[in-house]
Amino acid sequence: MLWIGGGVFMDKNKLVIAIERQYGSGGPIVGTRLAEELGVSYYDDEILSMTAEKSAVGEQYFRLADEKAGNNVLRKIVGGMGRKLALGHPKIDGDVTSPENLFRFQSEVIRELADHESCVIIGRCADYILESAGKEDLVKIFVYADTPTCVRRTMEVDGILDTKEALDKLNRITKQRREYHRYFTGREWEDMTNYDLPINASKLELDQIVDLIKTYLRMIGYEI
């Protein structure tokens, strides 16, 4: 049993929650609140600066490639069938800024975070990376919602006044994340069988989603 900072008593030594999220579903807000209530660390785009520091590769390269599929030509050749990227060690010379190598650098950081502490990690194929590493203390969550809900939340959070602009942004980012996940994992991002707990956020408030996740954690053996 372990007492984790923030007042959460758990009957397992560690807990790593990987959250994939549809744009506009409220996933990052849910992840932030969940981490606060569990008293664990929360990682989103902080991973980019951490990876840049560890790899000595400019952070701008990681930001430009963030949750986007790799080489366009190769992506067209691969088509819809996807491919699994071998998650070996990244190269430290030659083409170190290729999308595949940047992904390997980022994967190393995600694995190290999960090895050293309980945390919530948002996106960036963390579910696949940690599952492939054999993490037993991993809970994989997918937060999604219907289009009207995602458009409304996109407008609220991003300060967008035009519905079409919000919908265009939602569709663009959804496509990027879908292709990113398929390119690097060979799996379909929206295949709910890849996750322990898919959550339809359309009819739920964000605090209710946090409560739902906590209820699920209790059901699988965590005392929180």
Side-chain angles (χ1 to χ4, degrees):
M1 313 270 293
L2 177 70
W3 182 263
I4 297 180
V8 179
F9 192 64
M10 294 185 170
D11 66 350
K12 294 183 180 180
N13 287 336
K14 277 193 38 287
L15 171 64
V16 178
I17 300 173
I19 300 179
E20 285 293 332
R21 72 285 182 232
Q22 187 177 9
Y23 197 80
S25 67
I29 300 173
V30 168
T32 301
R33 294 180 185 176
L34 179 64
E36 289 174 353
E37 294 194 19
L38 295 180
V40 301
S41 299
Y42 170 84
Y43 295 104
D44 191 344
D45 62 359
E46 298 89 348
I47 291 173
L48 304 179
S49 54
M50 295 172 70
T51 306
E53 182 177 355
K54 175 180 171 62
S55 65
V57 174
E59 186 174 336
Q60 69 272 20
Y61 291 103
F62 293 99
R63 293 201 173 274
L64 286 171
D66 190 32
E67 295 199 280
K68 298 181 181 70
N71 181 274
N72 287 331
V73 174
L74 179 57
R75 190 166 73 231
K76 289 177 181 177
I77 294 172
V78 172
M81 65 182 182
R83 73 205 250 282
K84 291 183 180 180
L85 177 70
L87 294 178
H89 293 294
K91 296 186 295 185
I92 57 174
D93 55 19
D95 188 10
V96 297
T97 61
S98 70
E100 293 78 12
N101 208 53
L102 295 175
F103 186 83
R104 291 190 181 100
F105 274 126
Q106 190 167 272
S107 298
E108 279 197 338
V109 169
I110 288 171
R111 288 193 298 267
E112 289 174 3
L113 290 171
D115 283 342
H116 288 95
E117 62 177 324
S118 294
C119 57
V120 175
I121 301 176
I122 298 292
R124 296 168 183 86
C125 297
D127 58 315
Y128 170 78
I129 292 165
L130 298 177
E131 180 185 288
S132 299
K135 296 295 295 180
E136 295 181 355
D137 49 15
L138 173 66
V139 175
K140 300 170 295 176
I141 294 171
F142 189 92
V143 181
Y144 65 102
D146 59 28
T147 299
T149 300
C150 288
V151 168
R152 173 175 58 82
R153 287 180 175 157
T154 297
M155 294 175 73
E156 291 172 353
V157 174
D158 295 356
I160 297 174
L161 301 178
D162 181 69
T163 301
K164 184 180 183 304
E165 182 183 348
L167 178 61
D168 288 346
K169 183 172 185 178
L170 167 63
N171 288 336
R172 183 182 75 255
I173 295 177
T174 297
K175 181 180 179 182
Q176 285 177 353
R177 291 179 179 174
R178 184 183 295 130
E179 291 180 347
Y180 168 79
H181 212 82
R182 182 187 297 137
Y183 183 84
F184 288 112
T185 73
R187 305 198 303 199
E188 292 299 323
W189 180 56
E190 293 147 311
D191 181 354
M192 299 303 166
T193 64
N194 291 326
Y195 306 98
D196 300 305
L197 183 63
I199 299 174
N200 186 341
S202 303
K203 297 181 180 180
L204 297 173
E205 298 298 327
L206 300 183
D207 285 338
Q208 291 177 314
I209 300 171
V210 173
D211 288 340
L212 177 60
I213 295 172
K214 289 166 64 179
T215 297
Y216 175 77
L217 294 175
R218 293 187 190 100
M219 291 175 68
I220 62 172
Y222 288 89
E223 296 181 4
I224 58 176

